[in-house]
Amino acid sequence: MPRRNRYYILGVYALLLALSAGFSIKIYHDSRALYGETVALIEQDLPILGSLSNLRANVVAQEPILYEYYATTDRARFRQRWQGNRQLVAELGTKIRRDFPGHPRLLVVDDLNREVDALSLELDRLLGAKPVDWDEARALLEEISLHAVEINANLDRLAEDVHGRVDSKASAAQMRVDTINWTALFYSGAMFLLAIAAGYLINSYLAGARERRRLAMFAERNPNPVMNLDAAGGVLYANPAAHSTLATLGYNAGPLTLLLPSDMPARLESMLTEGLATRQWNYTALGREYETTLQYLQDFEYFNAYLVDVSGRKEAERRMEYLAEHDPLTDLPNRRRFIEDIRREIANGRLGAVVLLSIDRLRAIVDGVGHGVADQLLQAVAQRLLRSLADCTDQCSNAHLYRFEGAVFGLLLPCLETEQTPEQITRKIARDFESPIHADNQAFFLGVSIGASLFPTDDGDAVNLISHADRALQQVKQRGGGGYRAYDRDLSIQAAERLALEGDLRHALERKELFIQYQPQVEVASMRIVGVEALLRWRHPTRGLISPAQFIPLAEASGLIVPIGAWVLETACAQAQAWHTTGLPRITMAINLSARQFATEDLARDIAQVLSQTGLPPQFLELEVTESMAMDDVERSIRILRAMKDLGACISIDDFGTGYSSLAYLRRLPIDKLKVDQSFVRNLENDPGDAALVLSVVQLGHSLNLSVIAEGVETLGQLEFLRGTGCEEIQGYYFSRPLDSAALETLLGSGIAAFQA
């Protein structure tokens, strides 16, 4: 209740008391008859109100008795207090029933009291059992609390009936004293106003008390530690969860400040100095990781501290980040880390080499002894490679080994003296493989095929360098394996080829050489097509079909991707709406956004315009952005994605797992779906590392309330593995290659049975 209103009511009350004192002598003799009626009213009705008030108070007192029993499980104390309370409730109920025989509200109260008795007996049974079913006990407590609220509501209404009877008797008395002069009437009116003011004050106070009790229970029932701190970091109050947390960690007798940072006083002082009302920190205490939110209450001059144990979440995040960058079988850094480290070394501007080492004859060994022994063999191979590199520190002191994929390892040799150093090091590795490697009490003779590329001599892009090294490796394997080859190229021919292709690409759109194919996206649970991905294709008049991997980077680098991307967006949306109009299943159209498109400020406006022109409902449009694009400038990405999300479109992260996503930032992105990169799906049957990473990505997506789609599914084994992880959607050659619009329309119209066949 506002303080100003309370003072106002008290002032009116004082004024009326003063007026009543002045008129008391004058109206004494005239009010004798009214006095007799008033005495009867006080002796009969107000005691009833008192009994109702006492009964209500005892009903309210039941809740803390039960919650104390829930918190302490002290059965003896509970039975003593509970029986005393129930006896008082019974006595007061008997007294009130004498005054209101057969009143329907009392019948309801009696029924509710019997249910409370039954529920309290069930609660006593549960809390006396071993072990205690705390969830069911809490449910009983909540049900008893609801009954108590309903009992009090009926008692309040009964009190209102009594007030009505009082008003009725007052009216009758007034009829009998109609001879009282205007002073008596004024006096009675003043008393009536006083009763209204007092009732308003009491009701407001009771409502405020209920609200204060509800707010007070927030901290008491909070499962996480909540504390009040003074400016020096001293604990003024701590809820039960704080004490139980300290006891669980084995510090029963320790001070509660053990749960806080050791420099908490300095942190509080900094908040006061900077004038901050709230601040959040992460810290470690008693071997656990906590996230605490501090709130300064200036009017009370103390701090509220809300603690959350985030140890499990932080450990899971660290584990996810580790799995994202390491191979669980060999514990070596994986392909993702390989690419990142290459980029870092390229930025240093020194001569270095990227090497791929393929272990020969491993497939034959897997066929002969199985994957279990092959895994042991790969671990032994990794250890031998590490030893070989350790013997070459004089030639390259900071060489790094990686598990690239399957039987292929990556080697990064930065800071080389000459271009011949990689060959010298790898020949030393090849010689080390001339001796057998032991696994499962067996000796295996393995060979190694090696391909290498140099930076910055061969290229300045990590992915291209790996591609160059792989091309050299394939040349070694084509000659029978077991050798070394460095990548070589004719720069002038390649540059001319690239320039000519870019020139042709500039006219491809206007010449209608570009077209779109659509690859189905299948829901795993129902095995029906729920969407398609629009894939850009180029049919060159003389060269034939050109790979997207060849012309899309050209379009991106030259800026042509912006008009081409706009054409793809408009064409694909129009096609999806055309399918919907003809009565085919309403499927989602997934469209990739290029980095340059994503960088334009008017992207959301352009998408809205296309949706308006084509008539495609926004919920059937899915926009795909790559992980690296989204992580390049997180704050800007959130703003752009939010604008697209506000249109009603679905947002997915494409090629997830190939970039680097901070989990803290990933949670902030307004996205709906994760798309597992096909490079992980391709080897998940043979590579435990990729299988573990795919499983982790699916679990991560579900923990963030995102759906997951895997691309590049080509085998039944891959499908069954993904089905087991809970992956919602699948895309790949196992179901269908990309199709033109007519072929896909036929597929959609043929139904699920034809599709599955």
Side-chain angles (χ1 to χ4, degrees):
M1 176 181 180
R3 183 177 298 179
R4 182 167 59 89
N5 292 345
R6 185 168 56 199
Y7 287 158
Y8 175 75
I9 293 173
L10 290 176
V12 173
Y13 179 73
L15 177 61
L16 292 175
L17 284 179
L19 290 174
S20 66
F23 288 119
S24 292
I25 298 174
K26 185 178 183 303
I27 65 173
Y28 174 76
H29 294 288
D30 294 333
S31 61
R32 294 294 298 173
L34 182 61
Y35 175 78
E37 291 290 338
T38 305
V39 169
L41 186 65
I42 293 174
E43 291 178 351
Q44 180 178 359
D45 292 313
L46 292 183
I48 294 175
L49 289 174
S51 298
L52 287 172
S53 178
N54 290 336
L55 178 57
R56 191 182 187 287
N58 279 280
V59 171
V60 171
Q62 292 172 3
E63 186 175 357
I65 293 173
L66 293 169
Y67 274 97
E68 179 184 0
Y69 183 34
Y70 174 81
T72 63
T73 65
D74 188 344
R75 176 176 286 183
R77 177 173 172 79
F78 163 73
R79 288 182 173 176
Q80 179 183 0
R81 295 184 65 193
W82 183 256
Q83 291 172 0
N85 178 275
R86 299 307 291 170
Q87 183 176 355
L88 287 174
V89 169
E91 293 174 355
L92 290 169
T94 301
K95 184 176 180 181
I96 294 172
R97 278 191 294 274
R98 287 200 302 268
D99 295 304
F100 295 93
H103 197 287
R105 298 200 184 280
L106 287 178
L107 296 178
V108 173
V109 169
D110 289 340
D111 291 340
L112 291 171
N113 271 323
R114 283 191 290 271
E115 291 182 22
V116 169
D117 286 334
L119 292 172
S120 66
L121 290 174
E122 180 61 16
L123 178 65
D124 184 34
R125 184 188 68 76
L126 282 176
L127 295 178
K130 300 295 180 179
V132 177
D133 187 344
W134 296 107
D135 292 335
E136 188 173 354
R138 280 194 296 271
L140 288 174
L141 284 174
E142 292 174 359
E143 188 173 356
I144 292 173
S145 297
L146 293 175
H147 288 338
V149 171
E150 190 172 354
I151 290 172
N152 286 336
N154 280 276
L155 293 177
D156 287 341
R157 295 189 185 97
L158 190 57
E160 292 174 0
D161 294 343
V162 175
H163 279 295
R165 193 165 68 181
V166 170
D167 292 341
S168 176
K169 289 184 178 180
S171 299
Q174 186 174 359
M175 294 292 294
R176 288 192 295 269
V177 293
D178 53 358
T179 59
I180 297 177
N181 58 24
W182 64 270
T183 55
L185 293 173
F186 178 80
Y187 180 67
S188 298
M191 292 300 100
F192 183 71
L193 292 175
L194 177 61
I196 292 176
Y200 175 77
L201 177 62
I202 292 171
N203 286 334
S204 298
Y205 178 79
L206 291 176
R210 287 193 295 269
E211 181 65 15
R212 288 191 295 273
R213 184 171 69 252
R214 185 185 69 80
L215 293 175
M217 293 305 293
F218 166 75
E220 290 296 311
R221 297 181 183 178
N222 197 315
N224 296 314
V226 178
M227 301 182 190
N228 297 141
L229 308 176
D230 58 26
V235 179
L236 303 175
Y237 160 82
N239 70 340
H243 294 279
S244 63
T245 298
L246 201 62
T248 301
L249 296 175
Y251 293 86
N252 292 345
L256 288 166
T257 52
L258 291 175
L259 292 174
L260 300 172
S262 58
D263 60 343
M264 180 59 85
R267 299 185 185 215
L268 299 180
E269 183 179 356
S270 70
M271 284 185 64
L272 294 175
T273 302
E274 299 173 19
L276 299 176
T278 60
R279 177 170 281 184
Q280 190 176 79
W281 282 291
N282 285 10
Y283 65 93
T284 301
L286 302 180
R288 307 291 294 175
E289 294 184 66
Y290 289 95
E291 180 181 86
T292 181
T293 301
L294 288 176
Q295 179 187 23
Y296 179 56
L297 282 69
Q298 187 173 6
D299 48 346
F300 294 101
E301 296 185 347
Y302 67 73
F303 295 83
N304 280 341
Y306 306 93
L307 281 63
V308 179
D309 188 337
V310 295
S311 303
R313 190 185 77 198
K314 292 294 184 181
E315 179 60 29
E317 289 178 357
R318 285 191 290 269
R319 179 61 180 166
M320 283 293 298
E321 291 174 359
Y322 183 85
L323 284 175
E325 292 192 342
H326 289 79
D327 169 47
L329 178 64
T330 62
D331 208 31
L332 292 174
N334 62 10
R335 173 174 44 196
R336 172 183 172 183
R337 182 68 174 274
F338 189 30
I339 295 173
E340 291 175 357
D341 289 351
I342 293 172
R343 289 171 177 162
R344 186 184 64 250
E345 294 299 337
I346 290 173
N348 291 333
R350 305 184 196 178
L351 178 64
V354 173
V355 181
L356 293 181
L357 304 98
S358 177
I359 308 304
D360 299 334
R361 297 187 293 278
L362 186 63
R363 170 50 58 188
I365 292 174
V366 171
D367 294 339
V369 299
H371 287 283
V373 177
D375 288 346
Q376 298 179 33
L377 188 58
L378 280 171
Q379 292 170 339
V381 166
Q383 294 303 313
R384 176 163 295 188
L385 288 171
L386 289 172
R387 287 194 298 270
S388 297
L389 291 179
D391 295 337
C392 300
T393 53
D394 56 333
Q395 297 165 297
C396 185
S397 59
N398 55 346
H400 300 286
L401 182 66
Y402 306 82
R403 172 84 183 281
F404 189 72
E405 62 180 17
V408 180
F409 291 81
L411 183 60
L412 177 58
L413 303 174
C415 306
L416 300 178
E417 293 296 331
T418 68
E419 294 186 358
Q420 288 71 41
T421 304
E423 183 175 3
Q424 297 169 1
I425 293 174
T426 55
R427 291 197 183 280
K428 166 68 169 61
I429 294 174
R431 287 195 300 272
D432 290 342
F433 272 80
E434 292 176 356
S435 58
I437 296 179
H438 297 274
D440 193 37
N441 297 320
Q442 301 180 59
F444 298 94
F445 288 89
L446 302 172
V448 58
S449 299
I450 305 168
S453 61
L454 299 174
F455 59 85
T457 306
D458 292 333
D459 210 305
D461 179 79
V463 175
N464 289 341
L465 286 167
I466 293 174
S467 177
H468 295 337
D470 183 63
R471 188 171 291 111
L473 174 62
Q474 297 309 317
Q475 291 175 354
V476 173
K477 288 188 173 183
Q478 289 172 6
R479 297 198 309 263
Y484 168 87
R485 183 176 179 83
Y487 173 75
D488 56 5
R489 60 182 180 170
D490 190 328
L491 291 177
S492 60
I493 294 177
Q494 187 181 53
E497 178 73 15
R498 179 184 177 93
L499 201 59
L501 197 61
E502 181 179 332
D504 291 342
L505 182 60
R506 291 186 179 276
H507 303 287
L509 188 59
E510 62 186 68
R511 294 172 180 170
K512 298 183 180 181
E513 296 171 5
L514 299 178
F515 63 99
I516 300 176
Q517 289 187 322
Y518 304 91
Q519 186 169 34
Q521 296 175 332
V522 180
E523 184 180 62
V524 175
S526 63
M527 294 301 292
R528 64 185 181 88
I529 302 176
V530 294
V532 294
E533 181 181 3
L535 300 172
L536 181 63
R537 297 291 185 261
W538 181 16
R539 183 177 286 107
H540 192 277
T542 59
R543 302 170 186 251
L545 283 175
I546 298 179
S547 168
Q550 188 176 1
F551 72 83
I552 287 182
L554 276 178
E556 188 79 43
S558 62
L560 293 171
I561 196 67
V562 175
I564 292 175
W567 175 81
V568 170
L569 180 66
E570 182 177 355
T571 303
C573 288
Q575 180 62 73
Q577 180 62 12
W579 286 333
H580 294 176
T581 304
T582 59
L584 291 173
R586 299 174 72 83
I587 60 174
T588 300
M589 178 64 69
I591 301 174
N592 292 281
L593 295 177
S594 69
R596 288 206 178 223
Q597 281 180 290
F598 195 65
T600 58
E601 292 296 333
D602 298 329
L603 177 60
R605 186 195 65 186
D606 295 340
I607 295 172
Q609 184 175 358
V610 169
L611 291 173
S612 176
Q613 291 174 350
T614 61
L616 180 68
Q619 65 267 28
F620 294 108
L621 174 61
E622 179 179 320
L623 299 169
E624 297 184 0
V625 297
T626 65
E627 184 180 9
S628 57
M629 285 162 51
M631 290 297 113
D632 184 52
D633 184 343
V634 176
E635 297 302 329
R636 182 179 180 280
S637 296
I638 291 174
R639 186 174 69 254
I640 294 175
L641 293 174
R642 175 59 62 191
M644 295 192 297
K645 183 77 172 170
D646 290 342
L647 296 176
C650 173
I651 308 296
S652 66
I653 297 296
D654 193 15
D655 298 340
F656 186 77
T658 60
Y660 178 75
S661 297
S662 167
L663 296 180
Y665 286 128
L666 188 61
R667 287 201 302 261
R668 297 176 56 198
L669 294 177
I671 58 177
D672 305 282
K673 184 184 294 185
L674 295 181
K675 194 167 189 180
V676 183
D677 186 63
Q678 61 182 342
S679 60
F680 300 119
V681 175
R682 182 186 303 121
N683 298 306
L684 64 81
E685 292 182 275
N686 302 319
D687 191 332
D690 281 352
L693 189 56
V694 170
L695 176 61
S696 299
V697 169
V698 175
Q699 292 174 342
L700 172 63
H702 292 167
S703 70
L704 297 176
N705 294 323
L706 305 176
S707 61
V708 181
I709 179 173
E711 61 179 352
V713 178
E714 298 181 355
T715 67
L716 178 62
Q718 293 168 352
L719 169 63
E720 293 304 326
F721 177 87
L722 292 165
R723 190 196 305 276
T725 67
C727 180
E728 286 85 358
E729 296 178 24
I730 298 295
Q731 176 181 343
Y733 282 13
Y734 179 74
F735 304 99
S736 174
R737 293 176 175 272
L739 305 172
D740 59 30
S741 58
L744 186 61
E745 183 172 336
T746 301
L747 182 60
L748 288 173
S750 63
I752 298 176
F755 172 69
Q756 290 177 330

